[in-house]
Amino acid sequence: MYILTPSQTQQQQPRCPVSIDTIKARGKLVVGTSADWPPYEYIEGGKVVGIDIEIAKRIADSLGVGLEVRDMKFSALIEAVKRGDVDVVLADMTITPERETQVLFSIPYQVDTSVVIAKRGAAMRGPEDLKGRAVGVQVGTVQEDWALRTLGNVSKIVRYDKVYPYMVEALRKGDVDAIVVGGVVGRAIVTRFPEFEIVASTGVRYSAVAMPSCAYDLKLQVDRVIYDMLQSGEMERLITSWVEKWLYS
């Protein structure tokens, strides 16, 4: 019988592409996001800003490194973090059982809902009123999953790579009858664009930071940062201030 020595066993196990040591050696935390989801991440003055970017800054500061933000399609984020192209994903990403088989999640930093938005005065007051309608969703999101599961056989599901401004403009022009987005995002949109209203909620979801499934040391650090922000009230203040900033910018 051939027995592997400890050194041979170690050699056969692939190294995790992301760790605190690799981040510190590089001197920066690389964050993946999709900058079309205000107030969590959006473009302002040529830079990606928002709630998630501020959380990323807190994590980078805790590690004593700089921050690099890479903007990409939401649907590409999971694969990017699995490959180690980015260290973490901060994009108001919802924890789901399917995603948990692919990446490691931090503790949640927010509990939210998903909501359906339509033009004010439209004859829609719940998911049942979306039958036979065109419904806009972002590719790769839990909102897309919900729409396909609930309406896939009875409605036209229109997929977009970006929520803002593309889905908002599609609703305004009548290309779709409704859009499905995150609750905080949805409430911000209907406040900024009073011609829209929320017509339904699709349940509770938990937002968290995604990392490679092997990055346990990084998860401990990220969890510590999020826990401290939640306990001190900084997370709530941060979210509130960025919602107001985007609404009145």
Side-chain angles (χ1 to χ4, degrees), residues 31-214:
V31 175
T33 196
S34 181
D36 63 323
W37 192 253
Y40 288 90
E41 40 271 328
Y42 61 101
I43 305 294
E44 182 179 79
K47 294 182 179 181
V48 183
V49 299
I51 295 165
D52 284 329
I53 307 309
E54 293 301 317
I55 297 172
K57 289 177 182 176
R58 304 306 194 274
I59 297 169
D61 288 346
S62 76
L63 294 169
V65 297
L67 178 66
E68 178 184 332
V69 179
R70 296 183 183 174
D71 181 20
M72 59 188 73
K73 293 179 181 178
F74 187 88
S75 57
L77 289 170
I78 290 287
E79 286 302 317
V81 79
K82 284 170 62 178
R83 290 192 303 266
D85 294 345
V86 298
D87 301 321
V88 299
V89 166
L90 265 155
D92 190 25
M93 183 171 280
T94 303
I95 301 172
T96 68
E98 193 275 332
R99 287 173 180 164
E100 285 184 308
T101 66
Q102 302 181 73
V103 298
L104 193 62
F105 279 106
S106 69
I107 60 172
Y109 58 85
Q110 181 172 267
V111 181
D112 194 17
T113 60
S114 293
V115 296
V116 181
I117 296 175
K119 285 185 177 179
R120 190 170 295 278
M124 283 180 271
R125 284 296 174 267
E128 64 279 359
D129 296 321
L130 297 174
K131 292 179 180 179
R133 310 267 192 172
V135 180
V137 294
Q138 186 181 35
V139 177
T141 61
V142 293
Q143 290 82 27
E144 179 190 33
D145 292 341
W146 176 84
L148 290 172
R149 230 178 25 250
T150 310
L151 305 167
N153 295 325
V154 295
S155 302
K156 178 183 178 182
I157 308 302
V158 186
R159 298 171 177 84
Y160 296 86
D161 286 325
K162 293 185 178 293
V163 171
Y164 184 80
Y166 301 144
M167 280 171 57
V168 171
E169 284 302 311
L171 181 59
R172 176 177 281 165
K173 292 188 297 183
D175 294 341
V176 294
D177 300 297
I179 59 175
V180 190
V181 297
V184 170
V185 173
R187 288 186 289 275
I189 287 173
V190 299
T191 302
R192 185 162 179 170
F193 302 98
E195 65 266 40
F196 302 146
E197 64 179 336
I198 293 173
V199 298
S201 174
T202 69
V204 175
R205 65 188 189 89
Y206 297 87
S207 304
V209 182
M211 294 155 275
S213 57
C214 51

Side-chain angles (χ1 to χ4, degrees), residues 192-234:
R192 185 162 179 170
F193 302 98
E195 65 266 40
F196 302 146
E197 64 179 336
I198 293 173
V199 298
S201 174
T202 69
V204 175
R205 65 188 189 89
Y206 297 87
S207 304
V209 182
M211 294 155 275
S213 57
C214 51
Y216 297 108
D217 62 336
L218 182 58
K219 172 179 164 56
L220 289 173
Q221 183 68 18
V222 172
D223 284 351
R224 187 176 297 114
V225 171
I226 291 172
Y227 179 81
D228 288 346
M229 292 180 71
L230 290 170
Q231 288 297 108
S232 67
E234 183 183 7

Side-chain angles (χ1 to χ4, degrees), residues 38-39 42-45 49 164 188 191-193 241-249:
Y42 61 101
I43 305 294
E44 182 179 79
V49 299
Y164 184 80
T191 302
R192 185 162 179 170
F193 302 98
S241 66
W242 276 93
V243 168
E244 292 177 354
K245 178 180 171 61
W246 184 71
L247 286 177
Y248 303 110
S249 61

